[in-house]
């Protein structure tokens, strides 16, 4: 981020219409968050949670709305990118984590997943355009359009915020309003984890949106968008970024609630295997023959806007990491990789998503939490807190990954750890991370400030 030393004339040009810029960036941020997974998870949550919908959707909102929103704010206030934030837990971790985060939310998972879902749900299942050739053509057009938008990073907010996102929201609003009017099913009994632990199940479902990790990456685009509008003063950029994040979170909240409630109102709930089938049928029941068109439009736009954000964020990060390769060439690289992986098919892409998400999410959330703790102890370096909290979360992530890969070989370790609260639900890392992080914080605050560490680790305060 730029500091507050920008000329007044430059800042003035950007603040002539601040409300319009904030609204456009907020809509852009919403559209980048709201991809295919965000579209299909809530309806299925509504069906499976049934009478326990309220605690389930609260859990989903905690990790699917609140966490991404505060992550954008934390990154904006800290004045650091993903690598700089992660490096507070160690330079090697910072480099490895940031690369892994951008690749997982970018061309090796989330981006091709968006393209694959766009094809399989938006065209194949709706219009019967099946076959490898149709997949190839569709994903080629999909990535060509996305690439054309990201060629001009300063215009991403305008393209998404002023044009594509309003259209997406309009289609969702039509579907939701008519769905509320025409769907009259009653909530069923909760099934699976939603019957015993609906709040925890909702939290875990919110994990799979991957929006908290994406928020760390999207913050770069948010700041760049305001800079492109002439907003350079650091304090103003932080303020506008925070308001835009809250605005995006508000739209996510409304859409998730609407889609979730639609799931609870669906008839014949037992016939649906996933949220895509729920939403497709809801479109037909609500809109008749036009429902297929609306459903396809929602899916394709949701997937496209997300892909645009992911390509732009990845290209920006790797250009900063390797300046010798331009932003546009990095965009070409990630577009081509995403196109190639997308043509493997959705099933293969999703097969390796769980372990990736499980490995990255706990240390990412720990990092975000400690970043907010840093803000609460202004000017005090807390290097041990960063390293300890992230290390504990990472250890649990690695154990969970090994359990998935090795199966029964890890039973002894997992049985021993099962006494930890929330471990069976996949959240066993939370309490140990909090305890160890709190102890490390006490140690950090009891030590005299080190000028070297303060310069290296202290949060950059808004001017």
């Amino acid at each position: 981020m730029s500091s507050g030393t920008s000329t007044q004339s430059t800042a003035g040009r950007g603040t002539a219409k601040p409300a319009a810029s904030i609204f456009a960036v907020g809509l852009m941020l919403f559209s980048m968050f709201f991809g295919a997974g965000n579209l299909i998870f809530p309806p299925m949550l509504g069906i499976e949670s049934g009478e326990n919908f309220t605690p389930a959707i609260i859990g989903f909102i905690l990790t699917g709305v609140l966490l991404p929103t505060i992550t954008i704010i934390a990154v904006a206030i800290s004045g650091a990118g993903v690598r700089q934030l992660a490096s507070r837990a160690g330079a090697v971790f910072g480099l490895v984590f940031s690369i892994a985060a951008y690749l997982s939310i970018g061309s090796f998972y989330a981006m091709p997943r968006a393209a694959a879902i766009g094809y399989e749900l938006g065209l194949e299942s709706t219009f019967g355009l099946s076959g490898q050739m149709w997949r190839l053509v569709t994903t080629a057009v999909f990535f060509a359009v996305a690439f054309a938008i990201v060629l001009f990073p300063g215009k991403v907010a305008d393209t998404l915020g002023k044009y594509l996102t309003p259209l997406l929201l309009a289609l969702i609003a039509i579907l939701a309003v008519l769905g509320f009017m025409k769907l009259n099913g009653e909530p069923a009994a909760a099934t699976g984890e939603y019957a015993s632990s609906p709040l925890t199940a909702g939290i875990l479902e919110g994990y799979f949106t991957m929006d908290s990790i994406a928020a760390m990456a999207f913050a770069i685009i948010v700041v760049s968008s305001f800079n492109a509008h002439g907003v350079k003063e650091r304090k103003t950029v932080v303020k506008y970024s925070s308001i835009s994040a809250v605005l995006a979170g508000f739209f996510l909240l409304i859409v998730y609630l609407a889609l979730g409630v639609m799931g609870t109102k669906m008839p014949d709930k037992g016939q649906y295997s996933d949220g895509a089938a729920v939403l497709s049928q809801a479109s037909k029941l609500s809109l008749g023959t036009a429902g297929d068109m609306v459903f396809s439009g929602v899916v394709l736009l949701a997937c496209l806007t997300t892909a645009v954000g992911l390509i732009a964020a990845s290209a920006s990060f790797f250009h900063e990491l390797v300046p010798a390769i331009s932003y546009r060439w990095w965009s070409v690289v990630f577009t081509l990789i995403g196109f190639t992986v997308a043509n493997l098919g959705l099933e293969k892409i999703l097969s390796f998503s769980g372990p990736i998400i499980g490995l990255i999410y706990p240390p990412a959330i720990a990092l975000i939490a400690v970043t907010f703790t840093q803000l609460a102890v202004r000017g005090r370096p807390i290097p041990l807190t960063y390293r300890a909290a992230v290390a504990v979360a990472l250890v649990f992530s690695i154990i969970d990954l090994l359990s998935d890969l090795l199966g029964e070989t890890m039973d002894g370790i997992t049985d021993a750890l099962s006494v930890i609260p929330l471990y069976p639900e996949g959240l066993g890392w939370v309490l140990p991370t909090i305890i160890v992080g709190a102890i490390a914080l006490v140690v950090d605050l009891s030590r005299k400030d080190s000028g070297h560490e303060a310069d290296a680790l202290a949060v950059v305060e808004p001017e």
Side-chain angles (χ1 to χ4, degrees):
M1 288 185 184
S2 301
S3 66
T5 57
S6 304
T7 61
Q8 292 181 346
S9 60
T10 302
R13 289 196 302 270
T15 56
K17 296 181 179 179
S21 297
I22 293 171
F23 192 73
V25 174
L27 288 181
M28 172 201 71
L29 191 54
F30 162 80
S31 69
M32 292 192 300
F33 280 141
F34 192 75
N38 312 65
L39 182 65
I40 64 180
F41 290 155
M44 201 64 192
L45 180 148
I47 284 183
E48 294 181 339
S49 62
E51 295 175 343
N52 289 339
F53 174 73
T54 298
I57 196 65
I58 288 174
F60 186 85
I61 288 170
L62 287 176
T63 48
V65 177
L66 181 61
L67 198 54
T69 300
I70 64 176
T71 299
I72 290 287
I73 297 173
V75 174
I77 293 175
S78 70
V82 178
R83 183 182 178 186
Q84 289 76 18
L85 282 178
S87 292
R88 292 170 180 170
V92 174
F93 174 81
L95 178 61
V96 174
F97 174 83
S98 58
I99 292 176
Y102 274 99
L103 291 180
S104 65
I105 66 167
S107 56
F108 285 98
Y109 171 58
M111 189 196 308
R113 182 188 70 170
I117 291 179
Y119 163 69
E120 294 186 19
L121 300 186
L123 295 176
E124 183 182 41
S125 63
T126 304
F127 301 107
L129 303 177
S130 60
Q132 189 59 36
M133 182 55 68
W134 278 113
R135 181 189 299 275
L136 190 68
V137 171
T138 300
T139 53
V141 173
F142 178 93
F143 279 107
V145 173
F147 177 73
I149 296 174
V150 301
L151 274 180
F152 305 97
K155 298 294 184 181
V156 170
D158 290 336
T159 304
L160 296 184
K162 293 182 180 179
Y163 305 107
L164 295 182
T165 308
L167 179 58
L168 172 62
L169 284 172
L171 291 175
I172 294 174
I174 292 171
L175 178 60
V177 171
L178 293 179
F180 289 157
M181 294 172 58
K182 296 187 177 182
L183 300 176
N184 53 15
E186 294 294 329
T191 60
E193 293 296 325
Y194 290 108
S196 57
S197 306
L199 179 65
T200 303
I203 289 174
L204 292 175
E205 192 75 358
Y207 265 18
F208 286 89
T209 64
M210 293 193 76
D211 281 344
S212 295
I213 297 175
M216 300 175 75
F218 289 160
I220 295 176
I221 302 178
V222 171
V223 172
S224 297
S225 297
F226 285 121
N227 289 341
H229 284 84
V231 181
K232 304 290 185 179
E233 185 183 9
R234 178 169 158 64
K235 183 177 181 180
T236 304
V237 170
V238 170
K239 176 182 176 181
Y240 286 7
S241 298
S242 300
I243 296 174
S244 296
V246 172
L247 182 64
F250 171 77
F251 281 115
L252 285 173
L253 173 65
I254 297 301
V255 172
Y256 288 156
L257 287 174
L259 294 176
V261 170
M262 284 179 63
T264 66
K265 295 169 68 68
M266 288 293 291
D268 303 322
K269 295 178 175 61
Q271 66 174 308
Y272 304 109
S273 59
D274 54 56
V278 176
L279 198 57
S280 177
Q281 184 64 17
S283 302
K284 294 176 182 178
L285 293 175
S286 303
L287 298 168
T289 55
D292 287 337
M293 298 295 294
V294 173
F295 176 69
S296 294
V298 170
V299 170
L300 288 171
L301 277 174
C303 293
L304 177 63
T305 53
T306 297
V308 168
L310 294 174
I311 296 172
S314 299
S316 297
F317 170 76
F318 280 93
H319 171 56
E320 181 180 328
L321 191 65
V322 187
I325 302 178
S326 69
Y327 165 87
R328 291 189 177 185
W329 274 113
W330 278 119
S331 299
V332 171
V333 169
F334 292 122
T335 299
L336 291 177
I337 294 175
F339 169 72
T340 302
V341 177
N343 278 277
L344 296 176
L346 183 59
E347 185 176 351
K348 289 184 178 179
I349 296 171
L350 294 178
S351 66
F352 50 80
S353 64
I356 293 174
I357 297 170
L359 180 65
I360 295 177
Y361 244 108
I365 295 175
L367 181 63
I368 295 165
V370 179
T371 299
F372 268 97
T373 304
Q374 174 85 78
L375 298 176
V377 292
R378 294 172 180 268
R380 297 293 299 275
I382 52 173
L384 183 61
T385 308
Y386 276 105
R387 295 187 176 99
V390 170
V392 171
L394 182 60
V395 167
F396 276 87
S397 296
I398 293 173
I399 292 173
D400 288 341
L401 177 62
L402 292 176
S403 297
D404 289 336
L405 297 177
L406 302 179
E408 295 181 358
T409 306
M410 295 289 293
D411 283 352
I413 296 176
T414 55
D415 289 344
L417 294 175
S418 62
V419 299
I420 298 175
L422 300 178
Y423 187 83
E425 289 83 9
L427 295 173
W429 60 273
V430 174
L431 186 59
T433 300
I434 292 174
I435 293 174
V436 173
I439 295 172
L441 179 63
V442 171
V443 174
D444 275 330
L445 295 180
S446 65
R447 297 187 302 186
K448 293 183 178 180
D449 291 347
S450 166
H452 175 71
E453 288 185 331
D455 290 340
L457 297 170
V459 170
V460 180
E461 300 292 346
E463 297 176 0

